[in-house]
Amino acid sequence: MLRIAIQKSGRLNEESVQLLKECGIKFAGADRKLFAQAENFPIEILYLRDDDIPGYVEDQVADLGIIGENVFAETNKSADVIEKLGFSKCRLSIAVPKAFEYKHISDLNLKSIATSYPNILGDFLLKNNVKADIHEISGSVEIAPGIGLTDAICDLVSSGSTLLSNGLKEAEIIFKSEAILIGSKKLNDEKKKILQDLLFRIRAVRKGKEHKYILLNAPNEAIEKIISILPGMKSPTILPLAETGWSSVHSVVKENEFWQVIQDLRQAGAQGILVVPIEKMIL
Ligand code: PRT
Ligand code: ZN
């Protein structure tokens, strides 16, 4: 039996739950209790505050955890990073009031910076030979300059709209983060085996999301050109259509190359292009 800790509520909760469900694991949500036993996979789910998860994994109360890299780096607990999960992407940035003429990191010398990330910020300042006063606060960091508490802040940014609405501008990105799967350094063989099964499923789900299944019709003389455009897993599937001289081509395309590929395919004579999401992909 493996025990995984995920965030009880907040930005990571929904996608953590969704990922496990897409892996085919059935379990009850956090609204009912703090602990859920999966019905069809040897895993238990613990719902916790995200900041507590690295400590629980270090202490082997949980075997695995899903958290932001920012929290893992800040709490500095002993655990392995097993897999990046690709969601909850954000950055930890130093931001200053708009009127602050910021040109270089050294402009932060002898300034005060409010943050909930004193460790990551402290390391960054040390590395860059900046002597600034770190003012640790646990929330509403973005209002600190406006109320005269500090000269600058260091906080998580995703769209940047919180900075904008508080009259701040991003000065330095000091850490990039996304959700990660962490694991205890002391898993026994039975737990390692379950982890491998879970990882196999997670990777299949994530690969599926990164790709689209594509079906199209084309005149036979265009097929060679079309095959050269399609990257595919191996070579594409080609099936004859009822109409003579035409074929149907099936293949898999990467999400991030998708629009360019579609454009090239149309130019090469492809018609009736269908694009279908892939639920899971196993190579
Ligand atoms: O209760 P618990 O302690 O479990 O949750 P929490 O309140 O500490 O964390 P939560 O749920 O807010 O965030 C969990 C994780 O989501 C963080 O540790 C990050 O890894 C990740 N994440 C991704 C973010 C953001 N994006 C984000 N934008 N966490 C916080 N923010 C906040 C940021 O602090 C700022 O206030 O959103 C605001 C900025 O957003 P923009 O879009 O205006 O730039
Ligand atoms: Zn938290």
Side-chain angles (χ1 to χ4, degrees):
M1 184 66 67
L2 205 57
R3 192 181 274 179
I4 184 167
I6 64 173
Q7 192 189 29
K8 178 169 166 45
S9 64
R11 289 170 206 266
L12 293 165
N13 168 268
E14 203 175 304
E15 283 182 273
S16 305
V17 168
Q18 193 191 340
L19 177 65
L20 295 176
K21 297 219 155 148
E22 283 170 343
C23 287
I25 302 172
K26 289 194 180 137
F27 56 96
D31 41 327
R32 288 205 251 149
K33 39 191 175 160
L34 296 180
F35 186 80
Q37 163 85 61
E39 291 166 28
N40 56 352
F41 194 80
I43 198 163
E44 294 168 334
I45 293 99
L46 262 186
Y47 296 104
L48 298 171
R49 284 203 55 190
D50 65 348
D51 318 69
D52 296 334
I53 292 176
Y56 274 62
V57 172
E58 181 181 84
D59 296 341
Q60 291 177 272
V61 177
D63 302 305
L64 305 176
I66 296 179
I67 42 155
E69 272 174 298
N70 51 308
V71 168
F72 185 56
E74 181 63 27
T75 49
N76 204 16
K77 298 284 183 191
S78 159
D80 290 326
V81 176
I82 297 172
E83 192 88 344
K84 293 199 177 206
L85 300 175
F87 59 87
S88 288
K89 288 191 177 170
C90 59
R91 53 198 190 268
L92 186 64
S93 294
I94 296 175
V96 295
K98 269 195 206 112
F100 190 126
E101 281 184 33
Y102 186 88
K103 293 199 183 63
H104 189 257
I105 307 169
S106 59
D107 294 338
L108 295 168
N109 257 317
L110 306 178
K111 301 286 191 242
S112 56
I113 309 173
T115 190
S116 312
Y117 293 88
N119 294 327
I120 301 178
L121 176 60
D123 285 350
F124 174 83
L125 295 176
L126 194 67
K127 262 188 218 136
N128 288 284
N129 273 319
V130 175
K131 284 205 168 54
D133 176 31
I134 297 178
H135 199 102
E136 185 178 349
I137 52 177
S138 58
S140 304
V141 173
E142 63 280 0
I143 63 167
I147 59 170
L149 185 67
T150 59
D151 302 305
I153 67 160
C154 171
D155 199 10
L156 297 174
V157 181
S158 50
S159 67
S161 63
T162 303
L163 293 184
L164 202 68
S165 60
N166 284 281
L168 300 167
K169 61 182 180 189
E170 207 167 354
E172 297 284 341
I173 295 174
I174 70 167
F175 190 88
K176 288 200 173 146
S177 178
E178 66 184 81
I180 51 172
L181 178 70
I182 59 165
S184 160
K185 288 183 176 292
K186 297 173 187 157
L187 295 181
N188 64 28
D189 286 348
E190 182 219 330
K191 288 180 192 254
K192 278 186 188 152
K193 166 78 179 61
I194 305 169
L195 171 60
Q196 285 317 310
D197 289 351
L198 179 65
L199 265 183
F200 177 79
R201 295 185 184 199
I202 289 176
R203 287 174 184 156
V205 168
R206 293 208 52 218
K207 267 259 166 323
K209 284 202 169 114
E210 286 165 11
H211 294 81
K212 300 268 182 230
Y213 193 74
I214 180 166
L215 303 93
L216 59 89
N217 295 333
N220 288 344
E221 57 273 17
I223 295 290
E224 204 176 324
K225 172 89 178 134
I226 283 174
I227 292 175
S228 71
I229 296 166
L230 287 168
M233 285 207 282
K234 284 208 175 95
S235 47
T237 309
I238 303 187
L239 303 166
L241 288 184
E243 192 177 333
T244 46
W246 281 74
S247 297
S248 164
V249 180
H250 301 195
S251 190
V252 169
V253 177
K254 274 198 185 135
E255 168 88 67
N256 56 1
E257 294 168 1
F258 169 73
W259 287 111
Q260 185 59 49
V261 169
I262 294 285
Q263 218 170 9
D264 296 348
L265 288 172
R266 291 187 63 206
Q267 260 167 21
Q271 297 182 5
I273 304 174
L274 284 183
V275 179
V276 187
I278 297 173
E279 196 177 283
K280 285 163 191 101
M281 186 162 150
I282 295 137
L283 296 176

